[in-house]
């Protein structure tokens, strides 16, 4: 049975992560492991910070599993955000089995067959789920409405990936309203560039608060969605957003956390997903190699792409596809072939997407194989939809 605690704000306490030898001995590595206790801890911390689960609209790109969606629903979350058609389908099939009304925002400006696929999902799961998609102009709104979807106007406040500029958002909003009418549901402003706006809360607040003021000035009635993990606390601290009664934050990484999340969002989060990896080689006196390269750990956030739990002196080096070299301080620190280590990803969201399934560790010590149902993308419009899958005992 797993130990009951992990030290707050530490990535180096191994006690609540180590698997029993009976499980470790039959586990093929690299393997994604998710710890139910830590997931629920993180969810509770975010809900407490929000003041209510209704103010949180988590992006499910991080979790991609029906088990985690159920854990969020159990905590009272009723609004969700996703990016891909498979994520939307998993939300639909999971929420359809729950009581109550839900809202899903597909936070990506889809076009073509993928937009049509989303429209089919919205029609299939319309009974208790309201569906919307991001648009950045009137043409996008027309396509979304034709597909049977509500719309959120996407405002670019500094990420420069998608969306209309904040300066011109008022005009775009008027044009979208003329096309969408009552299908215009809200305004979305992703402020993920907050990670580059300073290392202190005061610095981030000073940079983001004027943007939130401008967002509030765009409309006095529409719902407002902001805040990935780096901007979660600034968004919650802005009095105007808080008092509007129509604002939600959409951080998703915080559900599982990773090596950056607690620094970006100091809520006492716990790493809830790790990658188990074995030593496969000891090529140098001060180096060993693990079997967890970029096919098991996401590399998009840069080097180092993980931390080794319980071993602060281990330095992960540049990985390749299957290999993760690790440097040690002294030859006596070097482990032996076959030793198992637990790695906390630097960016957990795409790391989860690399796994077809994970080992779920329950609070009571039970183990099961957890399908990552919403990973990857469909190939064709007419491909069957993703649905929640059953877990099996490990």
């Amino acid at each position: 049975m797993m130990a009951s605690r992990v030290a707050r704000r530490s990535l180096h306490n191994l006690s609540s992560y180590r698997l029993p030898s009976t499980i470790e001995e039959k586990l093929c590595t690299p393997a994604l492991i998710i710890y139910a206790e830590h997931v629920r801890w993180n969810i509770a911390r975010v809900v407490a910070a929000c003041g209510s689960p209704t103010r949180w609209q988590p992006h499910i790109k991080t979790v991609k599993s029906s088990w985690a969606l159920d854990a969020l629903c159990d905590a009272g979350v009723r609004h969700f955000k996703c990016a891909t058609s498979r994520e939307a389908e998993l939300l639909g099939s999971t929420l359809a089995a729950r009581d109550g009304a839900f809202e899903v925002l597909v936070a990506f400006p889809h076009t073509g067959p993928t937009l049509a696929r989303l429209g089919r999902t919205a029609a299939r799961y319309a009974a208790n789920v309201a569906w919307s998609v991001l648009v950045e102009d009137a043409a996008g709104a027309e396509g979304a409405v034709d597909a049977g979807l509500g719309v959120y106007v996407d405002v670019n406040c500094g990420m420069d990936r998608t969306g209309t500029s904040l300066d011109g958002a008022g005009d775009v909003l008027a044009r979208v309203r003329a096309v969408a009418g009552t299908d215009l549901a809200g305004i979305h402003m992703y402020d993920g560039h907050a990670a580059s706006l300073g290392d202190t809360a005061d610095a981030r607040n000073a940079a983001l608060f004027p943007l939130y003021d401008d967002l509030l000035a765009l409309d006095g009635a529409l719902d407002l969605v902001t805040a990935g993990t780096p901007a979660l606390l600034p968004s919650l601290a802005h009095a105007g957003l808080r008092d509007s009664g129509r604002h939600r934050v959409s951080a998703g990484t915080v559900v599982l956390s990773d090596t950056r999340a607690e620094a970006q969002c100091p809520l006492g989060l716990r790493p809830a997903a790790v990658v188990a990896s074995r030593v496969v080689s000891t090529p140098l006196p001060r180096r060993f190699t693990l079997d967890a390269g970029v096919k098991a750990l996401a590399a998009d956030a840069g080097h180092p792409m993980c931390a080794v739990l319980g071993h602060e002196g281990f330095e992960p080096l540049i990985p390749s596809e299957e290999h993760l070299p690790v440097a040690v301080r002294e030859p006596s620190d070097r482990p032996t072939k076959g030793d198992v280590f637990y790695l906390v990803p630097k960016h957990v969201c795409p790391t989860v997407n690399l796994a077809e399934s994970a080992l779920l560790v329950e609070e009571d010590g039970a183990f099961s194989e957890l399908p990552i149902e919403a990973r990857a993308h469909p190939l064709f419009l007419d491909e069957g939809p993703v649905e929640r899958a059953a877990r099996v005992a490990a």
Side-chain angles (χ1 to χ4, degrees), residues 112-137:
T114 306
L115 182 62
R117 188 177 175 97
L118 290 170
R120 293 180 182 181
T121 300
R124 184 181 303 117
Y125 300 112
N128 68 331
V129 184
W131 298 86
S132 299
V133 67
L134 290 189
V135 303
E136 55 189 15
D137 51 33

Side-chain angles (χ1 to χ4, degrees), residues 22-390:
T22 52
I23 296 294
E24 199 175 76
E25 287 168 359
K26 66 178 183 178
L27 188 70
C28 290
T29 55
L32 180 66
I33 308 171
I34 295 175
Y35 299 82
E37 178 183 2
H38 300 336
V39 170
R40 293 191 174 99
W41 168 275
N42 291 344
I43 291 172
R45 300 295 292 180
V46 178
V47 169
C50 292
S52 167
T54 60
R55 202 179 170 194
W56 186 20
Q57 187 160 1
H59 200 315
I60 74 151
K61 67 184 178 69
T62 304
V63 296
K64 293 181 180 288
S65 71
S66 56
W67 175 87
L69 299 185
D70 280 331
L72 287 161
C73 289
D74 290 344
V77 174
R78 292 295 179 266
H79 302 83
F80 293 90
K81 193 166 115 173
C82 68
T84 73
S85 61
R86 282 188 174 169
E87 291 166 0
E89 290 158 8
L90 182 63
L91 275 165
S93 66
T94 302
L95 300 179
R98 309 280 312 199
D99 293 331
F102 298 89
E103 294 185 22
V104 172
L105 168 60
V106 182
F108 199 86
H110 288 287
T111 62
T114 306
L115 182 62
R117 188 177 175 97
L118 290 170
R120 293 180 182 181
T121 300
R124 184 181 303 117
Y125 300 112
N128 68 331
V129 184
W131 298 86
S132 299
V133 67
L134 290 189
V135 303
E136 55 189 15
D137 51 33
E142 184 174 3
V145 172
D146 287 346
L149 297 159
V151 300
Y152 273 67
V153 172
D154 188 20
V155 174
N156 174 21
C157 68
M159 282 294 288
D160 299 332
R161 301 186 306 191
T162 63
T164 185
S165 70
L166 184 54
D167 290 343
D171 290 339
V172 171
L173 189 63
R175 291 195 290 272
V176 168
R177 181 177 274 113
V179 171
T182 58
D183 290 321
L184 174 58
I187 306 172
H188 174 271
M189 189 173 80
Y190 183 65
D191 38 19
H193 67 303
S196 64
L197 297 178
D199 295 329
T200 67
D202 288 343
R204 292 183 182 179
N205 290 352
L208 291 172
F209 278 16
L211 303 178
Y212 299 150
D213 292 339
D214 291 344
L215 175 64
L216 284 162
L218 288 174
D219 184 272
L222 291 173
D223 283 354
L224 307 172
V225 177
T226 67
T229 297
L232 175 63
L233 295 182
S235 275
L236 293 174
H238 188 272
L241 291 177
R242 181 185 64 242
D243 296 341
S244 71
R246 53 194 177 92
H247 169 249
R248 295 185 294 275
V249 293
S250 56
T253 303
V254 289
V255 177
L256 297 181
S257 193
D258 53 27
T259 64
R260 300 183 301 172
E262 177 64 9
Q264 294 175 343
C265 186
L267 289 175
L269 301 172
R270 300 173 176 176
V274 304
V275 173
S277 181
R278 280 188 171 85
V279 178
V280 295
S281 181
T282 53
L284 297 172
R286 289 183 173 85
R287 181 175 298 187
F288 64 95
T289 300
L290 293 168
D291 59 359
V294 298
K295 290 181 179 177
L297 289 159
D300 64 303
H303 172 71
M305 64 182 189
C306 66
V308 185
L309 270 168
H311 297 278
E312 293 180 338
F314 287 3
E315 180 187 354
L317 303 176
I318 300 296
S320 55
E321 291 186 42
E322 305 289 356
H323 306 78
L324 176 63
V326 181
V328 298
R329 293 170 181 168
E330 301 294 338
S332 59
D333 297 330
R334 193 183 69 175
T336 59
K337 289 184 182 180
D339 287 351
V340 176
F341 293 93
Y342 297 79
L343 312 176
V344 180
K346 185 175 186 179
H347 193 186
V348 71
C349 310
T351 295
V352 171
N353 190 64
L354 292 169
E356 292 184 349
S357 61
L359 179 68
L360 178 66
V361 182
E362 301 278 9
E363 288 97 330
D364 63 0
F367 302 86
S368 61
E369 184 176 354
L370 176 67
I372 309 299
E373 298 107 322
R375 67 183 299 273
H377 300 272
L379 186 60
F380 293 111
L381 171 61
D382 294 327
E383 181 179 312
V386 163
E387 296 182 348
R388 58 184 297 140

